[in-house]
Amino acid sequence: MLSPRFLLLRSAASLTTRSLCAGGVSKQGRAPDMADGNPLLHVSNVRNRLREIVGASTNWSDHKHAMAERVLLSSMLAKSQNDLPAKTMKDSYLEVHLPLGSEPQLREKYLTFHNTVRFGRILEDLDSLAVLISYSHTYNPALKRSPLSIVTALVDKIDMRQHIIYPDCDIKFTGHVTWVGKTSIEAKMHMSQYRDGAYSPVLDATFVMVARDPENKRAAFVNPLKPDGPEEEKIFQEGEANKSRRVELSTASLLKVAPTDEERKIVHSLFLNTLDSKTVSFRSRVLPPNSAWMEDGKLKGLEICHPQERNIFNRIFGGFLMRKAYELGWANACSYGGCRPTLVAVDDILFQKPVDIGSLLLLSSQVCYTQGKYIQVRVHSEVFDPLTRQHNTTNVFHFTFASDRDVPNIIPQTYGESMLYLDGKRHFNQTVEH
């Protein structure tokens, strides 16, 4: 979590034309202006500012031409990281205001039928903010447009600090860069909501971004990060630890290596508990009480990727993909548990391939692990080409939900389902341990 010191900082490289928030007398759920007189950046201006930085257009036909012109910016890329000036954490610090309490017309976009906040919309805002934070870190006042294409590589973790998000109370996002590699950036963000006269924490999010050339084809160098003082050094070392953890988890993936001895025993125990005692056959399986076969814990969806959902680089917006995956995963958890679940954590969202405009996006959610009232859902997204009949995985999402009651135990039948079960258990354990 950010130290209190950072909560008083403002972005030194003022990348934004800051939009004035509604002020005046503070009401329940409506935050007053900042005490120092500096208004927050309005959430609706984040993507507009990103378009300005990159040179993208809101018009579809002009947008394609603008992207073609970005090729000329390649000469502005640094030849090495040593050619770029080091930045501090305060250089990328931003605050963004989502005034649900003071702008009822904006509230409609975030409202669910049950008068709660659509968390999928929050995911979209976090994704846009992570990109803007990264551009704030790489900002060069000598350049009119950034030659970098900064995209989301991974959502490392989103931890919910509060499970209720009120639809009529102002929200504030804060965040800055916490770690930098040669071509990658870790950005941490915090969301809080104004209620009873103060902001209360709602969630903490960690995103990993990558910088690429103007055509988004190869990696590009970013400014190094220079911690300023022991507090920043501690945050930076946490970023180093996060990187090491990600490498370790990737190496131990069940798609690469066999399960551990303990995990093999778990799978065999599940198998033994489903054997039919009457036939004593390897093929004859019986579902235990208060359980469900993994095959019955699926829910699928299809999205046609229209230009409206494009990002500033002419691909489908990552936040849109996260929103759709979350909503499908939530619906599956709701159906499986028999009640409206609450989100506990979002874990390890990997962006493997970009999604082109016009694609047919197939989303498949699977309840892969359960424990008590908790439901672990994995959502797999892939692009389907109807002409070639080929399927290509683009993203894998992991969500942890909590029901208000114990849910049926999910039981795998095949070896592949058993690996999904173990993978879900790993992600759930990481959430619990965290």
Side-chain angles (χ1 to χ4, degrees):
M1 183 176 178
L2 289 178
S3 65
R5 173 188 175 208
F6 280 101
L7 298 180
L8 301 175
L9 296 175
R10 294 292 181 273
S11 176
S14 182
L15 287 176
T16 57
T17 304
R18 300 197 180 256
S19 173
L20 189 63
C21 300
V25 179
S26 176
K27 298 180 181 180
Q28 172 65 29
R30 176 176 170 176
D33 285 344
M34 298 303 295
D36 59 6
N38 289 335
L40 304 174
L41 174 65
H42 195 288
V43 71
S44 63
N45 287 339
V46 171
R47 294 186 73 177
N48 291 336
R49 182 57 190 140
L50 288 173
R51 292 188 185 97
E52 293 174 11
I53 293 171
V54 174
S57 172
T58 56
N59 182 279
W60 172 234
S61 57
D62 293 342
H63 183 81
K64 291 188 289 184
H65 178 70
M67 289 297 99
E69 288 185 341
R70 279 186 57 79
V71 178
L72 302 176
L73 300 176
S74 295
S75 60
M76 300 179 182
L77 293 173
K79 298 296 187 292
S80 72
Q81 192 176 43
N82 294 331
D83 296 335
L84 297 168
K87 298 293 187 71
T88 64
M89 294 184 183
K90 68 175 178 290
D91 288 328
S92 60
Y93 183 86
L94 289 176
E95 295 184 358
V96 174
H97 190 217
L98 174 57
L100 298 181
S102 48
E103 294 188 16
Q105 70 277 13
L106 178 65
R107 194 182 307 157
E108 290 289 320
K109 178 182 176 181
Y110 289 82
L111 202 61
T112 71
F113 171 76
H114 299 281
N115 202 36
T116 58
V117 170
R118 296 174 60 184
F119 189 76
R121 292 294 189 191
I122 299 298
L123 289 174
E124 290 183 327
D125 293 337
L126 287 171
D127 189 58
S128 295
L129 179 58
V131 177
L132 185 56
I133 286 172
S134 300
Y135 274 117
S136 301
H137 174 79
T138 61
Y139 176 62
N140 183 350
L143 300 179
K144 183 178 180 181
R145 294 177 181 173
S146 174
L148 297 176
S149 299
I150 298 179
V151 295
T152 307
L154 173 73
V155 178
D156 191 352
K157 194 77 173 176
I158 299 178
D159 288 316
M160 302 301 297
R161 303 275 300 278
Q162 177 178 298
H163 297 299
I164 299 176
I165 305 177
Y166 300 96
D168 55 353
C169 297
D170 286 3
I171 286 173
K172 180 174 67 175
F173 298 96
T174 61
H176 65 83
V177 170
T178 52
W179 176 88
V180 170
K182 289 186 176 180
T183 62
S184 58
I185 296 172
E186 179 188 271
K188 284 197 174 182
M189 295 161 289
H190 308 275
M191 172 179 155
S192 56
Q193 189 161 39
Y194 190 82
R195 187 170 175 81
D196 296 330
Y199 276 103
S200 300
V202 176
L203 64 81
D204 302 321
T206 304
F207 281 49
V208 178
M209 322 300 290
V210 291
R212 302 177 69 81
D213 67 1
E215 297 181 86
N216 198 11
K217 290 183 177 180
R218 60 183 179 86
F221 294 108
V222 297
N223 301 69
L225 181 64
K226 183 179 180 180
D228 181 15
E231 291 183 1
E232 291 190 13
E233 183 62 38
K234 180 181 178 182
I235 294 173
F236 185 83
Q237 292 304 321
E238 289 174 356
E240 288 279 5
N242 288 339
K243 178 189 175 183
S244 300
R245 173 179 52 81
R246 289 191 290 266
V247 172
E248 182 180 345
L249 290 174
S250 176
T251 304
S253 169
L254 291 168
L255 294 172
K256 298 178 180 178
V257 297
T260 64
D261 288 340
E262 181 182 354
E263 289 174 333
R264 284 194 284 264
K265 291 178 181 177
I266 291 174
V267 170
H268 194 64
S269 176
L270 287 169
F271 171 73
L272 293 178
N273 289 338
T274 59
L275 284 179
D276 189 345
S277 59
K278 297 179 180 178
T279 62
V280 195
S281 168
F282 285 114
R283 290 189 174 184
S284 182
R285 308 283 291 278
V286 176
L287 189 65
N290 193 33
S291 301
W293 294 121
M294 190 174 284
E295 177 67 25
D296 298 325
K298 293 181 178 180
L299 194 62
K300 296 185 177 183
L302 166 69
E303 292 293 332
I304 300 176
C305 299
H306 296 291
Q308 182 185 11
E309 306 301 340
R310 70 184 185 276
N311 63 13
I312 54 177
F313 303 115
N314 221 22
R315 300 288 178 83
I316 295 302
F317 174 43
F320 170 78
L321 300 175
M322 285 193 284
R323 173 164 65 89
K324 289 299 181 179
Y326 166 78
E327 290 175 350
L328 181 66
W330 183 91
N332 196 9
C334 181
S335 174
Y336 185 85
C339 65
R340 297 177 63 248
T342 56
L343 179 68
V344 176
V346 180
D347 180 38
D348 196 23
I349 297 178
L350 182 62
F351 289 79
Q352 297 182 17
K353 290 184 179 180
V355 178
D356 291 324
I357 295 170
S359 299
L360 295 181
L361 185 70
L362 304 180
L363 296 167
S364 178
S365 68
Q366 172 73 70
V367 175
C368 54
Y369 181 76
T370 56
Q371 182 174 311
K373 64 178 182 179
Y374 294 102
I375 306 170
Q376 189 71 33
V377 179
R378 179 182 189 269
V379 180
H380 176 267
S381 72
E382 60 183 359
V383 170
F384 171 63
D385 189 331
L387 302 180
T388 63
R389 313 296 294 177
Q390 289 186 337
H391 294 252
N392 290 303
T393 297
T394 59
N395 303 82
V396 179
F397 307 83
H398 300 274
F399 303 103
T400 305
F401 295 99
S403 177
D404 60 3
R405 68 194 77 160
D406 285 350
V407 300
N409 298 314
I410 200 76
I411 305 294
Q413 284 183 286
T414 66
Y415 186 80
E417 288 181 345
S418 296
M419 295 305 100
L420 285 175
Y421 181 90
L422 293 178
D423 186 59
K425 186 176 188 301
R426 287 181 178 184
H427 282 92
F428 176 76
N429 289 341
Q430 289 173 29
T431 297
V432 173
E433 291 169 2
H434 189 81

